[in-house]
Every structure is written in C-alpha cells, then in structure tokens.
Amino acid sequence: MLYLFLFFPMAAAFVAWLLGLRSAKARDLFASLATVVSFGLSVALLLLPDRSADLPFVAGIGIHLITDGFRKVYLCVITFVWMMTTLLGREYFSHYQNVNRYVFFNLLTLGATVGVFLAADLGTALLFFEIMSFTSYTWVIQEETPAAIKAANTYLAVAVIGGLAALFGLFLLYHTLGTLTISELYAAAQATDHRTLLYVAGGCVLFGFGAKAGMFPLHIWLPKAHPVAPAPASALLSGLLTKSGIFGVIAITCHLFWGDPNWGRLILILGTVTMVLGAVLALFSVDLKRTLACSSVSQIGFILVGVGMMGMLGEGNALAARGTFLHMLNHSLFKLVLFLSAGVVYMNTHALNLNDIRGFGKGKPALLIAFLCGALGIGGFPLFSGYVSKTLLHESIVEGIERFGSFGMHAVEWLFLLSGGITVAYMTKLFVALFCESHPEKQRQFSENRSYMRPLSAAVLLVSAALIPLLGSTASLSMDAIADLGTDYLNAGTLPHAVAYFSFENMKGALISIAIGFVLYFGVVRTLLMTGKKGRRVYVDRWPAWLDLETLLYRPLLLKWLPGVLGPIAALFGENRLLKPLAKGTVRAASVGAHAASDLLDAFVLLLRRTVYRESKPEASDKARASLAYRVGSRIDAIASRRGTSSGNRHRYAEASFRAQKTLRETGHRLTGNLSFALFMMVLAISFVLFYMLILH
C-alpha cells in the first residue's frame, strides 16, 4: 500500500497531462479527484498498523519506506493541503497559460513529497527530496516573467548546492556508521569514535535540508520565490516543502545527535536568528505575498527553536517535541489559508502591493473570516491553534532556563516573545490594509465586486480556516491527541503532566507578545513605515535594497570571488612555460590511463576470442536455421536461385542474415552492459525532461 502513495500521484500526473491535451475541464476534474483519493488513502492509513516496504534494487541503495505516528499524521496534512490548493486552483488558473505543465508537475511533486516523509533512511529521503526540488522548480518559473526566471534560478541554485552538500554528508555518514537508516543512526553514532567526522557529515546534511527549510543563512529563495509563484504553489512551497527540510533536520538532531547539547545549541542559535530575521523582513515588506513568505522564514525559525531545545533537553524534551510537531502542522494550515486568501486577492486585482489592494476585503465576509482565522492563528492568540504550539515551545524554553540558567537562554526567551510580537504587528498591518482602509480610487469598484470567488473556492477557504479555531479551542482533546500520536519520530520523552493551556501562567507569554505587537504596529508601522503622499498615507518599504544576502554575499562569492581566487591558479598553469606543458601532459596521461583502464576488460575478452576461444567459421546450425533472420535469408536465396542470379552458394543470403542478426545481438549486449551506455541513457532521460519542460503547454 505504501507504494500506492508514491506512484498513484505520479501515474495520475501523466493521465492528467494526456487529458489536458484534449480538455482542460476533464484534466482539472481528474487532478482534483486524484488529490481527493490521495487524502482518503492517507486517512485510511492512519487507521492501519505501522508497516514498511522495500524496493532493494532501485537507485543502487534501494527505496525503503516506513510508517509511524508522525508520518501518518503528516501524510494526512500533506494530502489535505494538496487537495485544497488543487480545488481552489481550478478557479485560480482559469485564465493562465501552461496550466497543463503546472498540473503535471504538481502531481509529480505530491508523489515526491510523500516519498520524503515515508522514507525510512536518509538515502531514500534525499532521492525524493531532489526529485521534489526539480519538479517544484516549475512552480516558481510558471509565469515566465523576468522576475520569475530570476527567482527560479535562485531556487534551483539553492536546491542543487544544498542537495550536493547533503549527498556529501550522506557519503561521510555511511562511510563512518555503515548505515543511513534513521532508526539506527543513534546506536551507530554511539559506537564510533569519529565524532569530528560525524559533526562534519551532520553539518553537510543540515546545510542541504536547512536550505529547503528556509533556515538562515540559506533562506534567500523564500522571499523571492513566493511573490512570483502562483498562490496555490506558494501555499505548498511554504506550508509543506519547507517541512521536508525540517524532516531532515529532525532526523539528524533527534536520531544522529540525540541528546547532544552542542548540536542542540547550534540548531537553537540558527533557529533564533531565523525567527527574528524573518519577522523583521515581514514587518518591512509592503508586498502581500512577500510578507507571507518572510513570515514563513520566521515561523520556520520558531520550529527550529523547538528542534534545538529538543537537542539540548535530551530525555526531558517532551514539551519541545510536542510544540515542534504541532507548530509544523499549524504552520501548514496557516499558510494554506493565508496564501489562498492572497490568491483570491490577486485573482481580482492582479496586484500584491498593499497600496494597490488596500480596501479590497471590505464587504467580503468569507474572505475576512478566512484571513482573520489565519492571522489570529499565526499570531498566537488564545483559542486559536497557533497559541497552543507556541505555548509549548515557550514552556520548553522556560524549562531550559531552569535547567541551564544561562543568560543565553534568557535572551532566547526575550527574542521568542519579541518575534511573536512582530508577527502580530505585520499581520495587523495586512489585515488593516485589506479590510479596514479604503482605496482612494478603486474602492467603489472593489466594494461592488460580489462575485470575487466561486462557491467551491469559498468552501475551500472556510473549511481550511475553520480548523484553526476548532483545534485551538479544543486543545486538550484534539491537539494533545495529535501530539501523542505524532511525536514518536522526534524521540519525545514522557510528558510529566497535562498542560493547562488557558491558565494565566501559560497565557502570560502570549499576552506579552500581543502587547508588543500592538505597540510595534502603532509605534513603527503607522509612523516609520508609512508616509504622506498626495494627501494620503501610503506604505513604504524602508528595508535597504543593498541589504540582500544573495546580492551582497552569495552571487559575488560564486561569480567573482571564487573565480578571482581560482583564476590566477588556472592562469599559472596556462601561461607558465614550464607548468603549462606539465599540466597538459598530466591531463593527457590521465586521459590515456582512464581510457586504457576502461577498455582493458574489452581488450582481454577480445584477445581470448582471437586465441583460446577463437570462433569457428560460422555454419548455420539447426537453431540458426530456425531463426527468423535465417528463414528470411533462405527465401531470398530461393528467389535468387530461380532467377539464375545465385553466385553458387545456396545459403549466401541466409548466412549473411544470420551473421548480421548475431552481430546486432552481441553488440546490444555489450552496450547495455556498459557504464557509458547507462550514463548515455541517463543523459537522454534528463534531456527529455528538460525538453518536455520547455515545450509542454
């Protein structure tokens, strides 16, 4: 059954593409049905006992799948979010081009994402992780504008470099531990003395998976990709694909380095920086989807803070584990609702700047309710699900303060509450701009637009949004039960007592953040981040344009500094009269040696065939005479004999046909058994995929 989760969406992708060549309506209906079936299968799997499955001969290392509570719950989250984005996407993409391409790669990415979360070992996880990265690349470049192409290039560069780093880390891990199975990592790590090598390998894997998660300093693709990607794709990129990166970070933190305070401290520091930086970027942004994208960076930071606390607290990590898992789930729901709401705004206004869309939400109760649920949830307001997970994370930090008592832990708590306050401030900014303010020129047009979304889209938004207060108000029943089921993968300890979520002591942290948020909104947003223009106040982005990590560091590093360092070395070999011939000779000698080594076996076989195993003159045996080629040649010989054109050999054409068939067969066996042929076929496959991506509409 586990294979069905992988291959059903991928097979459905090809069927949807074929249907789309004839009927867009049939394609959309089938794609929606495929995601509904995937969600139904996930719910069914939730009720079944844990199981595993293996395909040992795939990709050399095999594909190994497993289920547990965490994987089952998150599989339901994945398929639910995919189902909802696909259903609303039917309206969103109604006037788009290249929709067939989007639907095809959307279903492929669903299968790959499921593969990541079902992976029993890091090798399988990385395999599907890379497939997911390349198929989701088409989401970012979907509109094919200059901004989309540039953002897609950044996304692809981060994915490729991160994937290579993770692959190198897995090589080191397997060399050191002899296993990549996640459940075996801790025992294998305890049995080795090569701790330094483990840290190097773990750092490489963290680099690769952290890049996809949006962890600082690898977060650069998120604020660029989300504004240019279609809104349903943004919901998936933010709500789910970032969690595939978190899946890998949890694997190495809670299994390879479980209970290692040094590793936990590293994740905690990176998570804290990510949390604060993302919130500040979101506060400054005046683009609706960019604000939500930067918000995703911040919320990933909240999750990483929980992962870091798990690493530091060891066996006493129950609060941190439950908070981390529940905030992963909550963030997926928040971004589903918020990005789809942004998609509804964009469908009608074709704009994202707050000054251009202000007032659009007035008189639109369905959109208001959905957006408000997402905003209150992500802001951590009591009775909404975000409050529950943030309370657990905050309590784990308090527990860390009690255990370690350091100034650093106190600083983490202050920054945690401050980041929560900034979240409240920028979500208030978005809500006020959309639903409270008025557009100076288009407000009447906005207010008269009553058919701004179809009933199906409204149902998708409201059902998704309703889950946030439903889970938040029944936390002791619903969210505790989900946490009990889903924290096994996180090596969670036992919770010593039930959490009184709505006691004043636990609500105090949320109330402090909410107070900070309103102070920042009125003291910063309404004063420093707005200015008067033509008699009205407008939002301005005061973030320095030059303060962009990609343009400030990464592009110069890869395109200028590294070539600048390596260039003189290359020039030294290219211009020096002594070194130039030596370098050329070395390269040529290596080339000759490589060719000789690759041809040695073929040469040895050829020598044997010409000496010890010399073939006799080909005579047509009974088996040969029965072959199709021999029979065809015999017919030609008979015709030639009747016409008197035969040269005297009655079996001339029969023997020639047989020899030709035999030669082709032997040549084919040599080719298909050769590594070069395998590489050639791989290149053909990749070329086909790229060609397909370029021409498919």
Side-chain angles (χ1 to χ4, degrees):
M1 185 177 181
L2 297 186
Y3 300 135
L4 188 61
F5 283 97
L6 292 179
F7 301 127
F8 171 72
M10 294 182 173
F14 289 92
V15 176
W17 174 70
L18 291 173
L19 288 174
L21 296 178
R22 303 183 66 88
S23 170
K25 185 176 180 180
R27 175 204 60 215
D28 294 342
L29 182 61
F30 177 80
S32 300
L33 181 62
T35 56
V36 171
V37 170
S38 295
F39 177 63
L41 291 173
S42 301
V43 175
L45 186 65
L46 193 64
L47 305 175
L48 297 175
D50 296 345
R51 58 187 64 202
S52 61
D54 297 293
L55 287 174
F57 302 109
V58 178
I61 59 174
I63 294 177
H64 309 283
L65 309 177
I66 195 172
T67 61
D68 55 24
F70 173 88
R71 290 172 169 88
K72 290 177 181 178
V73 171
Y74 226 84
L75 207 60
C76 290
V77 175
I78 291 169
T79 52
F80 175 78
V81 173
W82 230 284
M83 176 179 66
M84 291 305 196
T85 56
T86 304
L87 291 173
L88 189 137
R90 295 178 63 179
E91 179 181 4
Y92 187 89
F93 289 107
S94 58
H95 301 294
Y96 263 69
Q97 295 181 340
N98 303 326
V99 181
N100 223 28
R101 178 180 67 191
Y102 176 85
V103 172
F104 176 78
F105 285 105
N106 186 51
L107 290 173
L108 284 183
T109 309
L110 171 57
T113 307
V114 168
V116 173
F117 281 88
L118 287 180
D121 64 274
L122 290 175
T124 301
L126 184 63
L127 172 66
F128 287 108
F129 188 81
E130 290 302 292
I131 294 173
M132 178 192 70
S133 296
F134 284 102
T135 54
S136 59
Y137 162 81
T138 58
W139 294 349
V140 184
I141 206 172
Q142 173 69 23
E143 297 189 11
E144 299 181 10
T145 61
I149 293 171
K150 183 177 180 181
N153 290 339
T154 300
Y155 179 79
L156 192 60
V158 172
V160 170
I161 295 173
L164 290 174
L167 181 62
F168 180 69
L170 295 192
F171 286 156
L172 286 178
L173 274 183
Y174 191 79
H175 172 74
T176 307
L177 303 181
T179 182
L180 292 177
T181 302
I182 296 173
S183 60
E184 298 174 358
L185 290 177
Y186 178 73
Q190 295 304 303
T192 184
D193 296 327
H194 302 290
R195 299 299 298 177
T196 301
L197 197 58
L198 281 185
Y199 281 121
V200 173
C204 292
V205 177
L206 176 65
F207 184 97
F209 284 97
K212 182 65 69 182
M215 179 186 71
F216 174 85
L218 308 169
H219 64 284
I220 57 172
W221 66 271
L222 267 164
K224 300 178 185 297
H226 287 312
V228 298
S234 295
L236 296 172
L237 283 166
S238 177
L240 296 179
L241 267 64
T242 54
K243 306 310 181 302
S244 66
I246 295 294
F247 177 87
V249 176
I250 291 175
I252 54 176
T253 302
C254 298
H255 294 271
L256 180 64
F257 297 115
W258 187 72
D260 187 331
N262 294 323
W263 182 265
R265 193 173 295 112
L266 170 65
I267 302 297
L268 181 62
I269 293 171
L270 292 173
T272 302
V273 175
T274 305
M275 175 180 65
V276 177
L277 176 64
V280 172
L281 289 173
L283 186 67
F284 275 79
S285 173
V286 297
D287 183 286
L288 175 58
K289 287 178 66 179
R290 177 180 167 82
T291 303
L292 297 178
C294 295
S295 168
S296 293
V297 175
S298 180
Q299 298 306 309
I300 291 298
F302 278 94
I303 295 169
L304 289 173
V305 166
V307 176
M309 291 308 304
M310 282 193 289
M312 294 184 65
L313 294 172
E315 294 182 356
N317 67 355
L319 289 172
R322 296 167 78 87
T324 299
F325 174 63
L326 291 178
H327 205 62
M328 288 177 64
L329 183 151
N330 282 330
H331 183 244
S332 296
L333 293 178
F334 300 154
K335 288 308 161 70
L336 170 65
V337 173
L338 293 172
F339 270 114
L340 291 188
S341 298
V344 172
V345 174
Y346 184 77
M347 280 193 303
N348 290 273
T349 64
H350 300 288
L352 292 171
N353 189 288
L354 295 183
N355 297 303
D356 298 326
I357 63 176
R358 63 198 306 173
F360 174 80
K362 279 189 169 183
K364 299 176 176 61
L367 182 63
L368 184 148
I369 292 171
F371 192 91
L372 185 62
C373 286
L376 294 176
I378 202 170
F381 282 73
L383 298 179
F384 291 83
S385 60
Y387 163 78
V388 177
S389 53
K390 285 189 174 183
T391 296
L392 291 169
L393 291 174
H394 181 227
E395 290 305 304
S396 72
I397 297 173
V398 173
E399 187 177 355
I401 292 173
E402 294 175 354
R403 179 179 299 191
F404 303 108
S406 63
F407 172 77
M409 290 304 305
H410 284 283
V412 170
E413 183 187 19
W414 299 334
L415 292 173
F416 184 93
L417 297 175
L418 175 63
S419 299
I422 299 175
T423 304
V424 172
Y426 65 69
M427 291 310 302
T428 303
K429 174 183 176 180
L430 296 181
F431 183 82
V432 169
L434 279 171
F435 300 100
C436 299
E437 296 177 336
S438 298
H439 195 284
E441 300 165 359
K442 300 180 180 179
Q443 190 56 52
R444 183 176 179 180
Q445 176 186 342
F446 288 165
S447 299
E448 292 176 350
N449 184 5
R450 299 296 181 180
S451 57
Y452 60 96
M453 62 176 167
R454 298 173 185 170
L456 177 62
S457 300
V460 166
L461 266 182
L462 292 175
V463 169
S464 302
L467 292 175
I468 298 172
L470 178 64
L471 292 173
S473 59
T474 61
S476 298
L477 295 175
S478 58
M479 301 201 77
D480 277 354
I482 294 173
D484 291 338
L485 179 62
T487 51
D488 46 4
Y489 174 69
L490 284 69
N491 271 336
T494 303
L495 193 65
H497 55 80
V499 179
Y501 293 109
F502 301 109
S503 67
F504 177 75
E505 190 64 27
N506 283 328
M507 292 182 64
K508 186 167 61 176
L511 296 176
I512 291 173
S513 289
I514 293 170
I516 292 173
F518 285 120
V519 169
L520 289 174
Y521 176 75
F522 290 105
V524 176
V525 174
R526 303 300 299 183
T527 56
L528 301 179
L529 301 183
M530 296 187 75
T531 185
K533 188 176 181 180
K534 295 182 180 180
R536 60 185 177 92
R537 294 183 63 76
V538 297
Y539 295 95
V540 291
D541 186 354
R542 299 195 184 278
W543 188 261
W546 59 268
L547 199 55
D548 182 337
L549 202 57
E550 180 182 355
T551 56
L552 193 65
L553 176 62
Y554 293 130
R555 286 186 178 270
L557 176 65
L558 295 175
L559 301 179
K560 293 181 180 180
W561 301 341
L562 286 179
V565 172
L566 300 177
I569 299 176
L572 180 66
F573 283 91
E575 302 297 334
N576 189 287
R577 293 183 178 180
L578 176 63
L579 294 178
K580 183 177 180 180
L582 179 62
K584 285 186 175 181
T586 302
V587 171
R588 288 178 180 175
S591 177
V592 171
H595 280 89
S598 64
D599 294 336
L600 185 60
L601 183 59
D602 288 340
F604 180 67
V605 172
L606 182 62
L607 177 64
L608 291 177
R609 292 183 62 187
R610 290 290 184 266
T611 55
V612 179
Y613 298 107
R614 180 184 297 175
E615 297 177 0
S616 59
K617 185 178 180 179
E619 292 288 338
S621 63
D622 293 337
K623 183 178 180 181
R625 293 179 188 276
S627 70
L628 177 62
Y630 191 91
R631 291 200 302 271
V632 172
S634 297
R635 290 292 181 88
I636 298 174
D637 283 327
I639 295 172
S641 178
R642 287 197 299 268
R643 293 185 177 183
T645 58
S646 176
S647 61
N649 184 355
R650 293 188 304 111
H651 304 292
R652 174 187 176 190
Y653 292 107
E655 291 172 354
S657 299
F658 169 71
R659 287 196 299 270
Q661 183 195 36
K662 183 179 179 181
T663 301
L664 287 173
R665 185 172 60 251
E666 291 177 350
T667 303
H669 284 315
R670 291 196 191 111
L671 280 174
T672 55
N674 188 282
L675 176 62
S676 299
F677 178 80
L679 293 174
F680 175 71
M681 295 305 295
M682 183 184 72
V683 170
L684 279 182
I686 294 174
S687 300
F688 174 80
V689 171
L690 294 176
F691 180 73
Y692 178 85
M693 290 167 61
L694 290 172
I695 69 168
L696 181 63
H697 294 282

